[in-house]
Amino acid sequence: MLESGPFSLANWSAWFQDWAYFRTGFLRTLEISGLALILTLVIGVVVGVAMCSKVRVLPAICKAYMSIFQNTPLVMQVFIYYNVLPKLGLRLDVVPLGVMGLALYTGAYAADIVASAIRAVPPGHMEAAGSQGFGYIGAMATIILPQAVKVGLPPMTNQAVNLIKNSSVMAIIAGGDLMYAADSWSGDNLIYGPTFVMTGLLYLAVCLPVSMLARVLERRSLKHV
């Protein structure tokens, strides 16, 4: 009975024997998540700074972007990139497609965080920077954003965790990520228990330390309020 159960030793043994297959998917997940996180930070800062601009059209454009991407499912967005863009003549490999999809989605939330962190900096600091001859971009880069980092870093770290978990959406377009590897291997071998337990643990091994870091940063930021 033990040998034929979903958590039998034979099933566990089969999973570990094919660990190299899961390792490839795990590394693909880390690759996509890392690149998407870098692009997310770029989008978050650019859009967040534009959101606080006094040029009226910029906040309006940013709000439209954020509203669209925050209020539509990531799965739907990825399907559009995968199925619609090729019909428009733009074909992307699954890795850049996944990076773009995750970054555009998470960047909408990151921009909200950056804008809120900027607004948390006392307005007098921007006025003082202007009196010293700094332009808007110069003041943001040298005075406002360094202060805003302390406020925005904890929630931004939480978004990094969400991004890593959301990378599992790549499985629906055969992205070769960890979730795709788990789904494919379990379907071929009809072994589900060990497969998804270990897959969950691999995600946990990446997300838990980042989540713990977010809590530490949040506690530190509260001490300085």
Side-chain angles (χ1 to χ4, degrees):
M1 190 69 177
L2 179 63
E3 291 299 315
S4 61
F7 290 96
S8 69
L9 294 178
N11 289 346
W12 284 101
S13 177
W15 190 92
F16 281 104
Q17 286 175 3
D18 282 347
W19 157 244
Y21 181 71
F22 290 90
R23 180 181 61 198
T24 301
F26 183 59
L27 293 176
R28 173 63 63 86
T29 290
L30 294 180
E31 176 190 9
I32 293 173
S33 299
L35 293 173
L37 181 58
I38 294 171
L39 186 54
T40 293
L41 293 174
V42 173
I43 293 172
V45 171
V46 171
V47 177
V49 169
M51 274 282 292
C52 299
S53 171
K54 294 182 179 180
V55 181
R56 292 184 179 180
V57 67
L58 290 180
I61 293 172
C62 293
K63 287 178 181 178
Y65 155 68
M66 292 162 61
S67 295
I68 291 170
F69 283 86
Q70 288 182 3
N71 294 289
T72 54
L74 175 59
V75 172
M76 187 205 73
Q77 295 172 26
V78 171
F79 266 130
I80 290 175
Y81 305 143
Y82 187 71
N83 294 304
V84 177
L85 290 185
K87 298 183 183 300
L88 300 176
L90 181 59
R91 297 183 179 275
L92 297 175
D93 186 61
V94 289
V95 171
L97 189 150
V99 170
M100 179 186 73
L102 285 169
L104 286 173
Y105 178 77
T106 314
Y109 293 93
D112 223 347
I113 293 170
V114 172
S116 297
I118 290 173
R119 294 185 184 113
V121 177
H125 292 202
M126 178 63 83
E127 296 170 4
S131 67
Q132 296 299 314
F134 285 94
Y136 181 74
I137 299 299
M140 278 289 176
T142 59
I143 297 174
I144 305 302
L145 285 177
Q147 298 179 72
V149 166
K150 297 178 181 179
V151 178
L153 193 55
M156 194 70 78
T157 309
N158 284 325
Q159 285 302 318
V161 175
N162 291 333
L163 187 151
I164 296 169
K165 292 186 293 184
N166 286 336
S167 69
S168 60
V169 76
M170 292 296 295
I172 66 173
I173 58 170
D177 63 307
L178 178 58
M179 195 64 199
Y180 176 76
D183 185 56
S184 300
W185 190 87
S186 63
D188 291 340
N189 295 276
L190 300 179
I191 298 174
Y192 300 99
T195 302
F196 291 106
V197 167
M198 294 305 296
T199 299
L201 289 175
L202 287 172
Y203 277 111
L204 188 66
V206 179
C207 294
L208 184 59
V210 180
S211 180
M212 293 173 66
L213 175 62
R215 288 196 289 270
V216 170
L217 293 172
E218 188 172 4
R219 286 197 294 269
R220 288 185 177 179
S221 66
L222 289 174
K223 290 180 180 178
H224 294 86
V225 173

